Amino acid sequence: MRYPKKRTVFFKDERREQCMPHLYFRAAFGPYMRTFLLIWALIAAFNGLRAQTPSTVSGYVNDSTSGEALIGASIFIKEIGKGISTNTYGYWSVTLPNGRYTFTVRYIGYATFERTIDLRANLKLDIDLRPSVTEMKQVEVVKEKRKSNTESTDMGRIDVDVQKLQTLPALLGEVDILKTIQYLPGVKSNGEGNSGFYVRGGGPDQNLILLDEATVYNASHLFGFFSVFNADAVKNLELIKGGMPANYGGRASSVLDITMKEGNDRGFHGRGGIGLIASRLTLEGPIVKERGSFIVSGRRTYVDVLAKPLINPESTFAGSGYYFYDLNAKANYRLGPKDRVYLSGYFGRDVFDLKGSLAGSPSFRIPWGNATVSTRWNHVFGPKLFMNATAVFSDYRFSFSGGQDQFAFKLSSGIKDIGLKVDLTQYPALRHQLKYGMQYTRHIYTPSTVEVESGDTDFDIDTPSKLHAHEAAVYALDEYDITEDLRVNVGLRFSWFAHIGPFHEYLLGTDGRPDGAVDHGAGKIVKTYSGLEPRLSARYRIDENSSLKASFNRNMQYVHLASYSSVGLPTDVWIPSGQNVKPQIAMQYATGYFRDLADHTYEASVEVYYKDLFNQIEFAEGATPDEGANTNYDAMLVFGKGWSYGAEFFLKRRLGKITGWAGYTWSRTMRLFPDVNHGRAFPSRWDRRHDGSLVVSYELNPRWTFGGTFVYSTGQATTLPVQRYWIEGRLVSQFSERNGFRMAPYHRLDLAATLKNKPEKTITDKTTGETRIVKRRYRSSWTLAVYNVYNRANPYFYYFTTEGSTSTGDLRPQAKQVSLFSILPSLTWNFEF
């Protein structure tokens, strides 16, 4: 059957009419269709590629009330479950594939900041965190920079919250940040009241102490009883006792990196305190609001001023006195969004006078102190590259002058540094961070110089000339997450040292006496040393709350500190490497297990270490400063090696009303010098078999806080006579082996209570009678502390006397113990506005 033609035509026309729009479109745009589809495909591909192209978010994290950079603030990205921390200047940078992310920023004591970002291009994000009264109750005394001590590759790297130290007991009410780190495992004190510290068997010279990147060579006031750092001027204190990164060098054992406050760029403020022996005052404010700020902090003791009216002017030593003072100052300014400059300085002095009022009485004057200046420039080349350039100056001087009748003498020593550092930090990816840079220092050493005169006669003593040296280093380190669980920090440092002229070198004969001399001209190289210093640390995460860590360090140190064993004054001498003095070399191996407990409320760790020390020096037994005349500076030295090993246990409570930690160290530290102790190994004077500490802070309420510390350590190793004989009317002593005697164990309990005034007050309107609550402009607190609560008589040193007589046949030597401090209460009033 055939369909009617008309019907067929109708059907075709209907279909044609239905398809007419398509035909018109095709006729009009047909020649461009392929081009259009190609462009559309390219746009789609570009958008898809852009979604995967990484962009960088970077910026600074600051305190919203003061503008201070927050060091170690945590930036967490919720969608990927990872985060980073801010550096020393509050800067951070993270690179992510384009997309939508939620950034959470946390810092203990501050309200949490959270923002969701649709990341499509590089973004600069500066964050101001607001202090939180609620979270301030959970401030920890010791905190790690990372979110958890199980995440980073850091071993033995700890931050101290300086502001919380005000609640801990302190000797005579003076808060001492160096004494606080002595409570940490692996860090030992030098004895009663001493702020010197020793890390994992190393000597005091093996600690690199930096104040705003300038080296501090003597960190003690009052012969070691107080540190030179005023806690009111310090923002952050970081101790590295293991796993030293490659950007640090020049010391064999540890780094103590101290950062000063920058000053408040939002308003003028001050704080201070009045104690029993010293007062302090700190002022800070904006140079240009929200662009630059300054801070000035001073401290001085006034025992000499208070005691002077009470001393009889006719007493034997009526003119005697002691005082110390220090001054910190810092200024910073933002030149623009990419540039900031800083200028900081420290100046401190101790002065001890002993003057006799009677004719013929001896008199002495002992001034010593540090001066440092550092100038820094921060520049952001791009969101992934941050630079810090620093010029530093450091000067330490010691002097001892005295006399009696017509005889007078003067002993002096010191060291001066002028240096330049350039450090760059690169952030290639979230799991990858690079650091590299260079450092240069010009050293000028002044060994012990002696001047002697008697009446009108000056003794012609050819004292050692000043010693000059260059020290330089380049380094690079790479911290990289190989897998989700394995992170490594690999670094390499190359250091170089040159002892240069002018230098007057004595040629010594076989008997050790000078037999001619050679003069090395200015700038001429006398001796050079160099070497590679590899650094490696790694972390393997076992699970969310625990990890294993390991590290290896090789450190070279081109300066030594030698102490006269027969002089009880701070006459320690800094000596550079040279013809006969080789650089110290330390090689340390460490491993540890780290765990977080109770939802990160507690942290626990166990670390074991072994350290080899090569090219150690000491003054020869019986050497005295006056023997350094007319000979080379290294003629009185003996050389040897050492080793140390131990285990450290640490448990810390980070959060809650009760915070603090408990630490215990078992260790052994030995030395071996062919010319000492008949060539047999002997315990170092810093050897302590057992060392334990407990630190607790309890916040009862917003006004009352209580603190307590307890320490225990094995007695110090020393050398004492074991027998005495009378030979031809002369008393002869027979001594034990070197450091073969142990003093009594050291232990002490300190307690403190702090009462703050109410942060708010009620004001009544006289007209309406209405009352309202306002925040106090001035805050104050009282701290009552008791040092050595149970009055322990800890030994400071021993001396010997004789009892009886030869005529009765009962003459015998008798050992006596000298202790410094009994129970000592103190009261300090602190204020701020």
Side-chain angles (χ1 to χ4, degrees):
M1 180 176 178
R2 298 183 67 178
Y3 291 101
K5 187 176 181 179
K6 184 176 181 180
R7 185 174 184 179
T8 303
V9 173
F10 175 78
F11 177 77
K12 289 181 179 179
D13 291 345
E14 184 182 61
R15 187 175 62 182
R16 184 181 293 113
E17 290 176 2
Q18 293 174 353
C19 295
M20 282 301 292
H22 169 70
L23 293 175
Y24 289 142
F25 180 83
R26 186 174 183 180
F29 300 101
Y32 307 102
M33 181 62 69
R34 290 184 179 180
T35 303
F36 173 79
L37 293 174
L38 178 61
I39 294 174
W40 181 85
L42 289 174
I43 292 174
F46 176 77
N47 287 334
L49 180 63
R50 185 179 179 186
Q52 299 300 320
T53 301
S55 297
T56 300
V57 186
S58 61
Y60 292 87
V61 178
N62 301 309
D63 184 314
S64 65
T65 61
S66 67
E68 288 269 3
L70 297 181
I71 302 173
S74 171
I75 298 96
F76 182 76
I77 300 97
K78 180 180 179 181
E79 285 72 13
I80 61 175
K82 292 183 178 296
I84 59 171
S85 299
T86 57
N87 67 7
T88 304
Y89 302 95
Y91 184 80
W92 63 281
S93 175
V94 59
T95 301
L96 301 165
N98 286 349
R100 193 174 181 84
Y101 299 97
T102 301
F103 286 75
T104 303
V105 183
R106 292 188 178 93
Y107 195 79
I108 293 180
Y110 289 77
T112 300
F113 172 92
E114 186 170 286
R115 176 176 294 182
T116 300
I117 297 173
D118 190 7
L119 187 61
R120 297 296 177 186
N122 289 346
L123 175 66
K124 189 174 188 298
L125 179 61
D126 292 335
I127 300 168
D128 285 344
L129 293 187
R130 178 174 49 84
S132 171
V133 176
T134 301
E135 294 188 25
M136 282 297 288
K137 295 180 180 179
Q138 298 181 338
V139 171
E140 53 182 351
V141 176
V142 175
K143 63 180 185 301
E144 271 72 25
K145 282 188 172 183
R146 306 292 183 180
K147 173 186 175 183
S148 165
N149 73 328
T150 62
E151 286 295 311
S152 72
T153 58
D154 299 335
M155 291 192 67
R157 186 169 185 162
I158 301 175
D159 281 357
V160 176
D161 189 333
V162 179
Q163 302 308 311
K164 192 65 175 177
L165 300 186
Q166 302 284 354
T167 64
L168 296 181
L171 176 62
L172 296 175
E174 282 299 299
V175 175
D176 195 326
I177 59 180
L178 291 191
K179 283 191 172 63
T180 302
I181 68 172
Q182 294 174 3
Y183 299 136
L184 299 171
V187 184
K188 295 178 173 59
S189 165
N190 191 33
E192 179 74 87
N194 202 300
S195 62
F197 64 100
Y198 310 88
V199 178
R200 291 184 173 178
D205 61 317
Q206 296 177 356
N207 303 316
L208 177 62
I209 302 177
L210 299 174
L211 179 63
D212 275 358
E213 302 196 46
T215 303
V216 177
Y217 282 94
N218 187 302
S220 298
H221 283 309
L222 190 56
F223 303 100
F225 292 113
F226 301 103
S227 77
V228 300
F229 305 112
N230 184 351
D232 287 347
V234 174
K235 177 168 69 173
N236 188 71
L237 184 149
E238 180 182 64
L239 173 69
I240 305 174
K241 55 190 177 76
M244 189 185 299
N247 55 306
Y248 293 107
R251 295 297 185 273
S253 287
S254 74
V255 177
L256 184 64
D257 197 350
I258 301 170
T259 304
M260 287 175 55
K261 291 180 179 178
E262 298 164 4
N264 194 315
D265 66 2
R266 312 292 165 93
F268 183 80
H269 295 275
R271 64 184 304 163
I274 300 175
L276 294 180
I277 66 167
S279 291
R280 62 191 189 278
L281 177 65
T282 300
L283 300 174
E284 57 182 326
I287 299 174
V288 177
K289 196 167 185 178
E290 298 188 8
R291 287 186 66 93
S293 60
F294 74 91
I295 182 171
V296 178
S297 183
R299 177 177 59 162
R300 191 194 191 279
T301 58
Y302 37 67
V303 175
D304 57 324
V305 178
L306 296 179
K308 189 174 182 179
L310 305 178
I311 298 176
N312 187 341
E314 297 182 358
S315 63
T316 305
F317 295 101
S320 303
Y322 168 83
Y323 64 91
F324 72 75
Y325 62 90
D326 42 40
L327 177 69
N328 297 80
K330 186 173 183 178
N332 74 92
Y333 191 79
R334 297 180 182 88
L335 300 176
K338 293 186 176 182
D339 296 278
R340 300 184 179 194
V341 292
Y342 303 82
L343 176 64
S344 56
Y346 166 82
F347 183 82
R349 280 289 181 270
D350 289 66
V351 179
F352 175 64
D353 286 305
L354 181 66
K355 298 179 181 178
S357 59
L358 302 178
S361 299
S363 62
F364 301 96
R365 181 176 176 83
I366 311 175
W368 74 94
N370 300 273
T372 68
V373 178
S374 61
T375 304
R376 289 175 289 171
W377 169 42
N378 290 172
H379 179 70
V380 180
F381 286 100
K384 295 184 179 182
L385 185 59
F386 180 90
M387 182 203 72
N388 177 60
T390 307
V392 297
F393 170 82
S394 178
D395 186 20
Y396 167 68
R397 298 180 184 181
F398 167 81
S399 178
F400 180 100
S401 59
Q404 185 173 12
D405 294 329
Q406 295 185 352
F407 176 80
F409 73 95
K410 183 178 181 180
L411 171 70
S412 59
S413 64
I415 180 172
K416 182 184 296 183
D417 287 350
I418 302 173
L420 177 67
K421 304 178 184 179
V422 178
D423 302 289
L424 295 108
T425 305
Q426 190 171 350
Y427 305 87
L430 179 61
R431 297 166 56 178
H432 193 194
Q433 182 174 318
L434 292 167
K435 287 185 179 181
Y436 41 89
M438 59 77 62
Q439 300 164 358
Y440 167 78
T441 304
R442 172 66 185 271
H443 300 288
I444 303 175
Y445 303 88
T446 304
S448 292
T449 59
V450 181
E451 302 174 15
V452 181
E453 64 180 39
S454 180
D456 296 330
T457 304
D458 292 334
F459 292 87
D460 184 14
I461 299 178
D462 191 2
T463 58
S465 59
K466 291 184 177 181
L467 307 175
H468 301 259
H470 297 298
E471 183 175 356
V474 293
Y475 74 89
L477 66 88
D478 187 353
E479 186 168 71
Y480 186 70
D481 287 356
I482 298 176
T483 67
E484 290 292 329
D485 297 324
L486 181 60
R487 174 182 293 176
V488 296
N489 187 315
V490 182
L492 183 63
R493 182 184 182 90
F494 174 78
S495 57
W496 173 83
F497 182 89
H499 176 203
I500 63 172
F503 176 55
H504 185 72
E505 180 183 8
Y506 291 93
L507 301 178
L508 304 182
T510 56
D511 59 355
R513 296 181 179 180
D515 186 17
V518 175
D519 285 312
H520 299 270
K524 183 179 179 181
I525 294 179
V526 180
K527 183 68 176 179
T528 64
Y529 294 98
S530 62
L532 291 173
E533 304 176 42
R535 315 284 174 84
L536 173 64
S537 57
R539 178 270 291 159
Y540 179 75
R541 185 167 53 196
I542 300 173
D543 54 39
E544 184 180 354
N545 296 313
S546 62
S547 64
L548 289 173
K549 299 182 185 182
S551 67
F552 167 75
N553 287 351
R554 184 181 192 267
N555 293 23
M556 298 186 69
Q557 178 174 329
Y558 299 100
V559 64
H560 306 252
L561 185 67
S563 300
Y564 291 101
S565 58
S566 61
V567 179
L569 296 169
T571 53
D572 295 350
V573 179
W574 290 93
I575 295 175
S577 298
Q579 292 277 33
N580 301 313
V581 182
K582 297 180 180 180
Q584 301 184 61
I585 298 176
M587 299 178 68
Q588 179 175 260
Y589 314 81
T591 186
Y593 174 73
F594 297 76
R595 185 169 182 83
D596 293 330
L597 304 168
D599 193 25
H600 303 288
T601 301
Y602 294 91
E603 294 180 2
S605 65
V606 179
E607 294 185 50
V608 295
Y609 69 90
Y610 181 88
K611 180 191 291 185
D612 275 319
L613 296 166
F614 303 98
N615 304 328
Q616 303 298 286
I617 72 167
E618 293 279 357
F619 278 117
E621 293 182 293
T624 55
D626 59 289
E627 297 177 15
N630 302 316
T631 188
N632 294 326
Y633 70 93
D634 55 10
M636 299 182 295
L637 302 177
V638 293
F639 307 93
K641 63 179 182 179
W643 60 92
S644 178
Y645 52 89
E648 300 170 359
F649 303 85
F650 189 52
L651 176 65
K652 178 181 67 176
R653 179 181 172 91
R654 302 177 63 234
L655 304 174
K657 286 183 172 293
I658 299 178
T659 58
W661 70 89
Y664 169 75
T665 304
W666 182 95
S667 63
R668 185 175 177 85
T669 303
M670 302 295 291
R671 295 289 187 266
L672 179 61
F673 285 72
D675 298 319
V676 176
N677 202 43
H678 306 290
R680 294 192 294 266
F682 58 90
S684 166
R685 54 183 150 171
W686 308 300
D687 178 57
R688 305 284 193 279
R689 194 70 67 249
H690 304 282
D691 189 87
S693 62
L694 178 65
V695 177
V696 178
S697 178
Y698 172 59
E699 187 175 21
L700 178 65
N701 54 50
R703 297 191 63 194
W704 280 101
T705 303
F706 300 91
T709 59
F710 175 77
V711 292
Y712 173 91
S713 66
T714 302
Q716 182 177 333
T718 187
T719 305
L720 293 178
V722 293
Q723 289 183 338
R724 285 189 167 184
Y725 308 94
W726 281 97
I727 300 178
E728 297 179 354
R730 184 168 57 93
L731 185 62
V732 178
S733 299
Q734 180 180 344
F735 287 85
S736 65
E737 290 194 345
R738 183 70 171 260
N739 293 338
F741 181 83
R742 290 280 177 181
M743 294 185 179
Y746 182 96
H747 52 88
R748 191 189 76 246
L749 173 67
D750 306 330
L751 298 174
T754 299
L755 174 63
K756 301 177 182 178
N757 69 340
K758 293 181 179 180
E760 299 171 336
K761 62 180 179 179
T762 302
I763 297 179
T764 302
D765 190 309
K766 296 181 179 180
T767 305
T768 63
E770 295 181 354
T771 61
R772 58 191 178 96
I773 298 176
V774 297
K775 186 178 179 180
R776 290 182 185 271
R777 186 178 178 183
Y778 301 94
R779 298 295 309 276
S780 65
S781 65
W782 289 93
T783 298
L784 173 64
V786 181
Y787 183 89
N788 197 4
V789 171
Y790 53 83
N791 201 28
R792 162 73 175 177
N794 288 302
Y796 188 61
F797 66 85
Y798 295 123
Y799 71 96
F800 284 81
T801 62
T802 55
E803 296 182 355
S805 66
T806 55
S807 60
T808 58
D810 61 350
L811 182 67
R812 63 188 183 279
Q814 183 67 40
K816 301 287 186 178
Q817 173 181 305
V818 174
S819 300
L820 284 183
F821 301 118
S822 59
I823 181 171
L824 284 176
S826 62
L827 184 65
T828 305
W829 179 60
N830 299 301
F831 61 89
E832 59 181 293
F833 56 89

